[in-house]
Amino acid sequence: MILARCLPLIWLSLLTVCAGRTLHPLPVKGPKNVKLQLQTSRPYNIAHRGSNGEIPEETTAAYLKAIEEGTDFIETDILSSKDGVLICFHDCILDETTDVASHKEFADRKRTYDVQGFNITGFFTFDFTLKELKKLRTKQRYTFRDQQYNGKYPIITFEEFITIARDAPRVVGIYPEIKNPVLMNQHVKWPGGKRFEDKVVETLKKYGYGGSYLSKKWLKKPLFIQSFAPTSLVYISNLTDSPKVLLIDDVTMPTQDTNQTYAEITSDTYFDYIKQYVVGIGPWKDTIIPVNNNYMLAPTDLVKRAHAHNLQVHPYTYRNEHEYLHFNFSQDPYKEYDYWINKIGVDGLFTDFTGSLHNFQEWTSPLPDTSKSPRQLLGQIASLVLPYAKA
């Protein structure tokens, strides 16, 4: 009699405990302080320059916020200082996201260089030593985002970035981009004739990163290496077996190193070639689905064809603000996530708002709670059911 009364409760408890994360909405350390592993059962939540929708990009605070919000990977752009130290910074110039213009001692550092066929004027990272770069403070890129953190956080090094992931309370992957390798190799010289790409891989190996996709070694320290430069990815394939992703720019932009067109690098012939070196592509999302007057048109077959070549697809960049949401989604970022994950079928998403993506995925495809042992799970079920059994 008691058992019959309790069966529905037992079933409900099993669903609550085993099928979702209602008791632990964010991943934490598991039993005996063993770090919870990276989830691989749903599209990856990739923190684009950290949680930079809330905090200035590529800062320690932005990455810590993304980890707190449940990201799978923290993403960064790798550039170099004048003295060859790898730093986390997106633009080759410092003007947009630091206070460099307010430092009178650096007023004479403004230069004009050719960057991918364009004359760019500004304060370039490779004209400053690391010590000088550390004097600068970051600021929010967009005026419509929170400005309260401007001037608080310094530029960080690649090694500091790696430490953030290593010290996280659970396994958090890293997703570094080899940024502007042609420009870096032109302006920064390393001992022994080493290249920018060599220094990136050396740093990763120093901290134990390596292993093919989903291998035991990779799962301990998950990593994707990305670049818009195909030759850089081919080059480092001889240095590391870590998975690599070819980034794809707007349809009007040629590759920065091989001068190939968008049509060339998204052809089936090219996919057959590049899949020897990469596990996926990272296209700008408006190249997958063209846009006109802020309305998305019919999707291309890019994702379908990439999957046919066994390539993952990690589009960029998903942002919550109405300035970036297409009218199709009624200003609702959750509708956008639903469309790209469940209709287009992407394998990962670069987002400025990691918390939003995490919440959407927890509501729609929750992960099992692996923070408890089977004995603990049974104990939790018993604690839920016994009060009713005694009634």
Side-chain angles (χ1 to χ4, degrees), residues 19 35 109 190 196 214 223 250 260 289 320 325 347 360:
K35 286 189 176 183
R109 301 290 180 90
W190 285 274
F196 178 46
L214 294 183
L223 161 72
D250 179 52
Q260 290 172 284
I289 305 177
N320 286 7
L325 282 169
D347 308 287
F360 173 79

Side-chain angles (χ1 to χ4, degrees), residues 112-133:
T112 300
Y113 294 110
D114 178 273
V115 182
Q116 293 179 243
F118 298 95
N119 285 327
I120 304 297
T121 299
F123 297 94
F124 287 77
T125 65
F126 50 74
D127 285 329
F128 293 76
T129 65
L130 178 64
K131 184 177 180 180
E132 291 171 331
L133 290 171

Side-chain angles (χ1 to χ4, degrees), residues 31 51 61 78 123 148 174 194 204 211 218 230 247 257 277 304 307 326 359 388:
S51 188
I78 307 301
F123 297 94
Q148 68 170 307
I174 62 173
K194 290 187 176 181
L204 291 168
W218 186 88
L247 298 175
D257 55 342
Y277 307 101
K304 182 179 179 180
H307 284 166
H326 298 313
N359 288 339
Y388 295 91

Side-chain angles (χ1 to χ4, degrees), residues 165-351:
R166 185 187 63 186
D167 292 346
R170 56 189 170 82
V171 174
V172 173
I174 62 173
Y175 209 129
E177 178 185 344
I178 299 176
K179 194 79 175 179
N180 296 111
V182 175
L183 187 70
M184 292 300 105
N185 283 316
Q186 286 174 343
H187 294 276
V188 184
K189 302 303 176 184
W190 285 274
K194 290 187 176 181
R195 294 169 47 164
F196 178 46
E197 295 93 331
D198 294 317
K199 299 302 295 183
V200 172
V201 174
E202 283 180 8
T203 304
L204 291 168
K205 287 184 175 181
K206 175 182 175 180
Y207 288 91
Y209 284 89
S212 59
Y213 181 60
L214 294 183
S215 66
K216 288 183 178 180
K217 184 175 182 180
W218 186 88
L219 287 169
K220 290 180 180 178
K221 293 184 177 180
L223 161 72
F224 288 106
I225 305 173
Q226 55 175 329
S227 183
F228 284 99
T231 56
S232 290
L233 296 173
V234 172
Y235 177 78
I236 66 169
S237 69
N238 295 314
L239 306 176
T240 177
D241 60 350
S242 295
K244 304 154 195 75
V245 173
L246 174 64
L247 298 175
I248 299 176
D249 211 327
D250 179 52
V251 295
T252 63
M253 290 293 293
T255 57
Q256 59 185 251
D257 55 342
T258 58
N259 203 39
Q260 290 172 284
T261 65
Y262 172 86
E264 288 175 318
I265 64 170
T266 58
S267 67
D268 287 319
T269 300
Y270 192 78
F271 281 169
D272 274 335
Y273 160 73
I274 201 65
K275 71 180 182 182
Q276 303 171 73
Y277 307 101
V278 305
V279 300
I281 58 173
W284 181 36
K285 60 189 177 74
D286 285 359
T287 64
I288 298 174
I289 305 177
V291 174
N292 184 38
N293 293 325
N294 205 33
Y295 279 99
M296 296 191 311
L297 306 179
T300 67
D301 63 353
L302 182 61
V303 173
K304 182 179 179 180
R305 289 192 300 105
H307 284 166
H309 291 275
N310 202 30
L311 292 169
Q312 295 185 43
V313 182
H314 300 172
Y316 66 92
T317 303
Y318 296 85
R319 299 177 168 113
N320 286 7
E321 296 101 346
H322 69 86
E323 287 88 349
Y324 296 107
L325 282 169
H326 298 313
F327 292 147
N328 310 66
F329 302 120
S330 307
Q331 305 297 300
D332 185 345
Y334 296 122
K335 286 186 178 180
E336 183 179 37
Y337 290 138
D338 180 59
Y339 179 83
W340 282 92
I341 292 172
N342 296 314
K343 184 170 183 178
I344 302 301
V346 299
D347 308 287
L349 304 91
F350 289 86
T351 177

